[in-house]
Amino acid sequence: GIYCNGSPTIANCTITDNSANNGGGGTNCGYGTVTIINSILWGNTPDQIYYEEHRPPEIYHSDVQGGFSGMDNIDADPLLGNDNHLKAGSPCIDAGTSEMDSLGIDVPDTDIDGASRPQGSKYDIGADEASADSPNDPSANAGSDQIVGDEITLYGTKSFDPDGSITSYQWELRHKTNSLHN
């Protein structure tokens, strides 16, 4: 996750699947006032956020597993794909904000892939800005190249669909004859 010492602003980040020995698998706020906006903190162990009682972070428009008080925060499965992009139907879509001028916070106007923000009516929470008009393309991976002999095995387990789960694999086998020249 992130260890913060000082007073950083963390904006439009997806912090997931991290672990720590003590506290703050997602973020350890150390000494200072940490501000988190439009961010996802999910699946971190032993907890999402660790902070000293007298220095709680300021969290706005974020999805925090287990919940966290603050303006427009949610506690809902963000529906992340294999590459941590938002799947269709994610509660993080159009749930963020760009209106943090009153706090002097600038939120990024592009996402992790360089797509402009917002794509919908509001900013999305997290590093990815989902687009209903152009869903993320799936990636097919049948494994390493093989020399064709009597038997070949194709695995699709390294394939992924950032907009949802792959429910089946379909292979089309074709025979191509190449003449060999010495």
Side-chain angles (χ1 to χ4, degrees):
I2 298 174
Y3 176 79
C4 305
N5 199 6
S7 298
T9 298
I10 300 169
N12 288 95
C13 291
T14 300
I15 304 168
T16 184
D17 297 325
N18 298 289
S19 63
N21 290 333
N22 296 319
T27 59
N28 184 325
C29 295
Y31 303 99
T33 303
V34 177
T35 303
I36 300 173
I37 180 171
N38 289 354
S39 294
I40 298 170
L41 291 109
W42 203 267
N44 301 292
T45 56
D47 47 26
Q48 307 312 309
I49 304 166
Y50 174 81
Y51 59 94
E52 299 292 326
E53 273 188 52
H54 62 284
R55 291 189 185 202
E58 298 172 357
I59 301 180
Y60 309 101
H61 299 275
S62 293
D63 187 3
V64 182
Q65 185 175 13
F68 200 89
S69 63
M71 185 188 326
D72 294 323
N73 291 330
I74 61 174
D75 176 9
D77 184 342
L79 300 178
L80 297 172
N82 292 340
D83 61 352
N84 289 326
H85 282 69
L86 299 174
K87 292 182 186 179
S90 169
C92 296
I93 295 173
D94 291 340
T97 186
S98 63
E99 303 296 322
M100 297 308 288
D101 293 339
S102 62
L103 297 174
I105 298 171
D106 292 324
V107 293
D109 58 1
T110 59
D111 76 354
I112 195 165
D113 299 316
S116 63
R117 289 185 185 268
Q119 292 285 319
S121 61
K122 294 168 60 178
Y123 276 49
D124 293 348
I125 294 175
D128 178 43
E129 185 73 17
S131 172
D133 296 333
S134 57
N136 298 310
D137 293 331
S139 174
N141 184 336
S144 59
D145 291 343
Q146 299 181 38
I147 297 174
V148 178
D150 292 337
E151 182 179 311
I152 63 169
T153 303
L154 300 175
Y155 297 99
T157 57
K158 292 184 180 179
S159 300
F160 69 91
D161 182 356
D163 294 324
S165 298
I166 295 176
T167 57
S168 67
Y169 303 97
Q170 180 177 342
W171 307 109
E172 181 179 326
L173 301 177
R174 296 181 181 180
H175 183 270
K176 181 177 180 180
T177 305
N178 290 326
S179 56
L180 299 174
H181 298 284
N182 288 338

